[in-house]
Amino acid sequence: MPKQRRSRGPDRDRGGKREAPQKPRQRARQAHTDWRADSNLALIYGFHSVREALRTGRRQLVRLHATKEAAERLSSEIAAAHVPLNIMSAQELSARLGAQAVHQGLLVEANALEAGDISDVAESRGTVLVLDQVTDPHNFGAILRTAAAFGVEALITTHRHSPEVSGVLVKAASGGLEHVQLINVTNLARALHTLGDYGFYRVGLDSEGPAPLDSLPVSTPLALVLGAEGHGLRRLTREKCDVLARLDLPGPIKSLNVSNACAIALALVTRALKSAE
């Protein structure tokens, strides 16, 4: 009668040696492999970004992954949004998003927001931003955040030479993407021409502009046009603006990071518009 082979048992490898017990980090990675996010969904992480996605209801939320503590902080918003909740550890979230992602214990999978059309602002009486080849996701996201703070109606950019709406951009926007309509166009010069037909006063921000921005008699509808760092506004973009203006800065440095310049410009035009009321 042939000898029966002895089972190795769950704690022995093929050489008959006892397997080393898993360390906590190894267990976390193994548990994480049981969860795979849908690649067709947008990933939104970070407290402010997730909170605004829950509050506004502009997009369909599929699943929320959160630590117990983070879920408790947003318990009312989660209940109102009726989104399925999956409690996870912070280590599992980091394993999914990467160690550099500051997720603050929150990650929501959601359908992407649909980009608008230039015709959506045809009847606008407010302010829109136009970005000429601003490609850095951190700057783009920071501009969205500032735009939301100042009540900007839309942000217009091109399909090409603009960043992907990734988790990094959404995190930098800190919820701004949920409040400002994003409009993608093929040709920026043509879009600026169309804005002119709609009655927009098109102001191009340029460090060498002939007039200080705070000296202009601005009115709505207003399109504030900003260019990429280093290159500024392209020639055709400049030609389609009604006026080019600069930020008069008292210090020796006359140009700023585009997101910082945007914040100052919006503060100046907002004050000017209120004074004109």
Side-chain angles (χ1 to χ4, degrees):
M1 183 176 181
K3 293 182 179 180
Q4 293 184 346
R5 296 181 61 185
R6 295 181 60 186
S7 171
R8 293 186 291 110
D11 60 344
R12 294 182 182 275
D13 62 17
R14 292 189 181 276
K17 297 180 181 179
R18 185 177 296 275
E19 292 179 348
Q22 286 184 323
K23 296 179 180 179
R25 287 186 180 179
Q26 291 175 317
R27 286 198 298 270
R29 276 197 294 270
Q30 181 175 329
H32 170 72
T33 60
D34 296 332
W35 168 53
R36 289 288 183 269
D38 189 331
S39 60
N40 296 319
L41 297 175
L43 299 183
I44 304 170
Y45 58 85
F47 179 79
H48 294 290
S49 300
V50 171
R51 182 184 64 182
E52 294 308 307
L54 293 170
R55 285 180 173 179
T56 61
R58 283 190 63 202
R59 61 170 97 216
Q60 182 183 356
L61 306 179
V62 178
R63 285 178 294 274
L64 172 63
H65 308 279
T67 62
K68 181 180 178 181
E69 295 76 15
E72 289 174 352
R73 291 181 66 192
L74 290 177
S75 58
S76 58
E77 286 87 349
I78 294 170
H82 304 290
V83 58
L85 173 62
N86 177 31
I87 298 298
M88 305 179 72
S89 69
Q91 290 78 11
E92 288 173 306
L93 287 171
S94 294
R96 172 63 181 89
L97 293 168
Q100 303 303 315
V102 185
H103 53 72
Q104 298 170 294
L106 291 161
L107 165 64
V108 66
E109 296 176 81
N111 287 342
L113 291 171
E114 291 187 8
D117 185 80
I118 191 73
S119 62
D120 294 339
V121 298
E123 305 298 326
S124 171
R125 297 302 304 169
T127 300
V128 302
L129 290 177
V130 182
L131 301 187
D132 187 8
Q133 297 193 345
V134 175
T135 58
D136 181 82
H138 294 93
N139 279 333
F140 200 102
I143 289 170
L144 275 169
R145 182 178 188 177
T146 300
F150 281 95
V152 169
E153 293 185 7
L155 188 153
I156 301 170
T157 188
T158 53
H159 290 287
R160 298 180 61 189
H161 305 295
S162 61
E164 178 187 358
V165 183
S166 63
V168 171
L169 187 153
V170 177
K171 178 65 170 63
S174 197
L177 187 59
E178 309 303 318
H179 296 279
V180 180
Q181 185 176 28
L182 192 60
I183 295 175
N184 290 327
V185 297
T186 302
N187 186 296
L188 199 66
R190 189 180 304 129
L192 285 167
H193 181 85
T194 301
L195 289 176
D197 290 341
Y198 292 160
F200 276 83
Y201 184 51
R202 300 158 297 181
V203 179
L205 203 62
D206 191 307
S207 60
E208 303 298 326
L213 180 61
D214 56 358
S215 71
L216 296 180
V218 295
S219 61
T220 55
L222 174 69
L224 187 60
V225 190
L226 300 101
E229 290 184 56
H231 301 289
L233 300 175
R234 291 175 294 168
R235 179 182 60 82
L236 283 177
T237 302
R238 294 163 63 92
E239 291 176 358
K240 292 297 181 180
C241 291
D242 296 300
V243 63
L244 296 176
R246 67 180 186 272
L247 296 178
D248 255 354
L249 303 171
I253 296 178
K254 300 302 180 183
S255 62
L256 294 172
N257 171 290
V258 65
S259 61
N260 292 333
C262 176
I264 295 173
L266 283 174
L268 290 175
V269 299
T270 299
R271 183 177 65 181
L273 290 171
K274 286 186 176 180
S275 299
E277 291 178 352

